[in-house]
Amino acid sequence: MERLNSGVGSSSIRRRSLSISSHVSHRTENDDDAESESVSEAGDIGDRALPSRRFSATNSFRFSFDETKSDENGGTAADVEQLQPPRASSAIRPLPPQLVASPLSTTDAVLPSEEPKKETRKGLPEFLDYASCMIHMAVFGILGVLTRYLLQKLFGPGEANLTSNKTVLYLDLPANMIGSFLMGWFGVVFKADISQVSEHLAIAITTGYLGSLTTFSGWNQKMLQLSVSGHWLFAILGFLFGLFLVGYSIIVGIETAKGFKWLLNKLNMCSGSGDNSEINCRVDSPQRQLAAMTMFLVILGILWGVSGALVKAKFKNGGSGAELWFACMVGPVGVWIRWFLARLNGRGLGRAGLFKWMPFGTLIANVSAACVMAALSTVKEAVITKDCDTIVIGTQLGLLGCLSTVSTFAAEFNAMRESNHPWRAYVYAIITMCASFVLGILIYCVPVWATGYDTST
């Protein structure tokens, strides 16, 4: 009998230890999945960030989560019950239901209704929510194109002479560094504060302005132009040096933004300003959101109207002016495509969600923009006309420059580097750069070598 009791006791201990180990492993896997999803969504999540989309997703999944209640440590009630040791049967029996029932239990005035109440969201309908966000992004996307062009001219051969098409310091390097630095400010540290004022404004600054200020396709194309001329070492160093500068730009941006935020908090504590003195500037009501959408729609109409008029006036003569204003006209299209692709970030592959840590939306946007830019560069080498140069360069500067992004790439790279799996950041960077560069060689370099086009001009 003692041997039997000892065998039963040891088997129960083994079962409890197995259940504990399985529970711990299950929690570890869940934590890893959550981290993988968070690093992939560090830069952008597309239209999933819209208030209307988040509200509908929350209402559709709330009740399924409530059915399986979890404890404060993350385990479900069933897991907690398995972890608890078997309890001896109690001699106390529950009272009959006739004695427990209250005469007030049949009234509906005391007990709450079992049907859950639906939350009401204050804001624009889903269609207007989409339209308002796209209008915001279009305006800031055009501003990003203009800023990138000005930085090219400022640091290029005409003025500061720090960047050029023939060195590792490519023309878009200052824009990529400044955009990554600002991404640390407005895309990481202060993004939540900006979202408190207007979520559309936060998306417009990060996805619209900073995503258009920086460009990966232009970076890749400059390295292809170096390699087609035989400067392979410069091309490789351009990728490595560019990644190093961009990576440290966002780190410096995050650290300086945190210091500035700490200083603001200290100043607010010293001034002792109360909530009554604060001005409510939040765009949180349908009326304010509609007013903001109307204002940005007017600004977008002015920008597009001016750009179209200048393109019409300068198109025949060609030149950088016609290319710039044509880029402003087509730039918002690239922003919108990248924004819709960003919904793939954090989703993984297939129903199982494999490789959730890989931001496939940003990856597809950068690689596809680099391939199309390489193809247009090949067309430009074959068709030597002013009209072709204006359309090709304007599309590369505007649509493809806005479709690809370095600021979002830098935010994702930095989040992966600071996670529990820092190697993922370098794998992500290698896949993005190698895929774009190899495909660019096949699309641009091979035809140029085969036909003997003169790329010196």
Side-chain angles (χ1 to χ4, degrees), residues 36-58 61 126 129-130 133 137 191 199-200 203 207 338-348 356 358-362 412:
S36 300
E37 188 173 352
S38 64
V39 298
S40 181
E41 297 175 346
D44 195 4
I45 58 174
D47 59 345
R48 289 189 286 133
L50 289 178
S52 59
R53 294 279 295 180
R54 289 204 313 268
F55 178 79
S56 60
T58 304
F61 288 108
E126 187 172 354
D129 197 21
Y130 265 86
C133 188
M137 288 189 297
K191 187 174 184 179
E199 296 185 348
H200 292 170
I203 297 174
T207 303
R338 171 163 49 85
W339 183 61
F340 281 110
L341 287 174
R343 70 170 66 179
L344 302 177
N345 293 340
R347 294 308 191 189
K356 279 189 175 182
M358 179 67 70
F360 287 102
T362 307
E412 296 159 350

Side-chain angles (χ1 to χ4, degrees), residues 220-242:
N220 183 76
Q221 187 59 35
K222 299 307 177 185
M223 299 304 106
L224 289 175
Q225 292 176 359
L226 289 175
S227 62
V228 80
S229 303
H231 303 292
W232 291 95
L233 181 59
F234 279 2
I236 296 174
L237 291 177
F239 277 119
L240 296 178
F241 197 59

Side-chain angles (χ1 to χ4, degrees), residues 268-319:
N268 289 334
M269 291 176 61
C270 294
S271 61
S273 58
D275 295 337
N276 295 330
S277 62
E278 296 180 358
I279 301 175
N280 183 15
C281 58
R282 295 181 180 180
V283 187
D284 53 358
S285 63
Q287 294 78 12
R288 292 187 176 185
Q289 291 177 359
L290 191 60
M293 183 182 71
T294 304
M295 181 186 67
F296 276 96
L297 182 60
V298 172
I299 296 174
L300 179 61
I302 294 173
L303 291 175
W304 263 342
V306 172
S307 300
L310 292 175
V311 167
K312 184 178 180 180
K314 298 176 178 292
F315 190 82
K316 292 182 179 180
N317 298 327

